[in-house]
Amino acid sequence: MLKTKPPKPRKCAVCGEIYTPVRINLKLTKVCMNPGCILDYAQGIRAKEQRKLERKQKKEVKANKVALIEFNKKDLSWQHKQCQTVFNKLRRLQEFKWFYDRGLEPTCISCGKPKGNDTWCNGHFKTRGAQSGLRYDPMNSYLQHNYHCNQNLSGDIYGTKTTHGYIQGLKNRFGEEEAQKIIDYCETNTKIVKWTWEQLEQMRKEWNKEIRQLEKQLGE
Ligand SMILES: [Zn+2]
Ligand SMILES: [Zn+2]
């Protein structure tokens, strides 16, 4: 027959009373037989486990985020999407500055009118689809009404019954000769540029820097 030592008295982990364990698995016995202590202790363990699980989940979410950033970084279409947004914002600010420096109210390249109840966008002369190499070229994009002229009139390059259009807008702003230079430059720059993700990231960094400076200057 196995000789078993009688269990030694212990101090209850909850109430601090000294008790003598009666459980078979002594390792698990940390509290006295008081139901309140048993419940309290069990809840404590559950809460601890819950916290542990939450910490683990948080860690996993963070790791996934990091992995996603790493994945996106090398994804060219993701990079271009980010870059286009930042470039368009930069160009809008550069345009505001251009008008501001001349003491003029900003106007749309296609219709020559102020913002009104529209919003501003950076309107490309040559579209990204037609000449992707010019998508980040300041010579190819100017301040434009987002809805009326960019979206509804597809940039309004040649004008309508009531608007002079993009080409005439360039001439109005920069004069015949300078406008022709811009148009010729855009017409002839048809080469496809293959940016790497590293280049795009670098470009974006510099644009963001310029955006912060312009925002400061313009008090936005
Ligand atoms: Zn107790
Ligand atoms: Zn317009």
Side-chain angles (χ1 to χ4, degrees):
M1 227 184 105
L2 261 161
K3 232 167 94 186
T4 48
K5 270 195 257 169
K8 278 184 196 156
R10 289 179 180 182
K11 196 176 170 191
C12 171
V14 175
C15 70
E17 292 286 325
I18 305 298
Y19 71 101
T20 306
V22 291
R23 298 262 183 91
I24 296 162
N25 191 345
L26 289 173
K27 264 189 185 169
L28 291 177
T29 318
K30 295 248 192 324
V31 285
C32 71
M33 288 308 286
N34 183 334
C37 290
I38 293 169
L39 191 69
D40 219 50
Y41 189 67
Q43 277 170 347
I45 287 176
R46 258 205 299 277
K48 207 168 150 191
E49 275 167 358
Q50 187 60 32
R51 281 196 297 275
K52 202 170 151 193
L53 188 73
E54 277 165 12
R55 270 200 301 276
K56 197 181 155 205
Q57 281 169 340
K58 254 189 205 158
K59 235 182 190 172
E60 273 172 12
V61 168
K62 205 176 159 195
N64 281 340
K65 260 191 203 158
V66 171
L68 184 67
I69 289 168
E70 280 305 304
F71 174 82
N72 278 339
K73 235 165 103 168
K74 290 163 191 163
D75 179 39
L76 279 179
S77 67
W78 182 88
Q79 282 287 356
H80 276 300
K81 217 174 144 197
Q82 308 300 309
C83 275
Q84 198 70 67
T85 304
V86 175
F87 175 76
N88 289 346
K89 183 175 181 187
L90 172 65
R91 280 298 293 143
R92 284 197 305 273
L93 290 168
Q94 285 176 338
E95 287 281 89
F96 293 154
K97 178 88 167 47
W98 188 92
F99 286 102
Y100 179 81
D101 287 346
R102 287 159 182 77
L104 300 168
E105 188 181 0
T107 52
C108 170
I109 196 74
S110 297
C111 70
K113 289 177 192 141
K115 190 167 88 171
N117 54 12
D118 210 320
T119 57
W120 287 128
C121 74
N122 178 41
H124 285 72
F125 176 52
K126 293 291 174 187
T127 63
R128 198 172 60 202
Q131 280 166 248
S132 64
L134 292 175
R135 64 189 293 176
Y136 306 126
D137 198 321
M139 291 265 277
N140 184 49
S141 62
Y142 300 91
L143 198 66
Q144 192 176 53
H145 282 121
N146 190 11
Y147 297 102
H148 186 260
C149 298
N150 186 283
Q151 291 180 24
N152 291 349
L153 298 172
S154 307
D156 191 14
I157 300 301
Y158 302 104
T160 62
K161 271 183 191 165
T162 53
T163 58
H164 53 57
Y166 207 119
I167 291 171
Q168 187 57 45
L170 288 172
K171 291 175 184 171
N172 292 353
R173 254 181 79 173
F174 303 108
E176 196 83 33
E177 202 180 322
E178 192 58 32
Q180 199 54 52
K181 267 189 209 160
I182 293 169
I183 293 162
D184 289 344
Y185 170 84
C186 292
E187 297 281 1
T188 53
N189 265 276
T190 51
K191 69 173 189 292
I192 291 162
V193 184
K194 297 243 184 251
W195 290 278
T196 64
W197 70 263
E198 291 98 333
Q199 284 173 318
L200 292 169
E201 205 156 68
Q202 188 55 36
M203 278 152 60
R204 200 161 65 244
K205 226 181 244 172
E206 279 155 27
W207 294 338
N208 273 321
K209 217 162 108 190
E210 206 181 327
I211 284 173
R212 281 194 293 276
Q213 285 168 352
L214 279 167
E215 279 177 337
K216 229 185 255 168
Q217 285 171 6
L218 294 163
E220 294 223 349

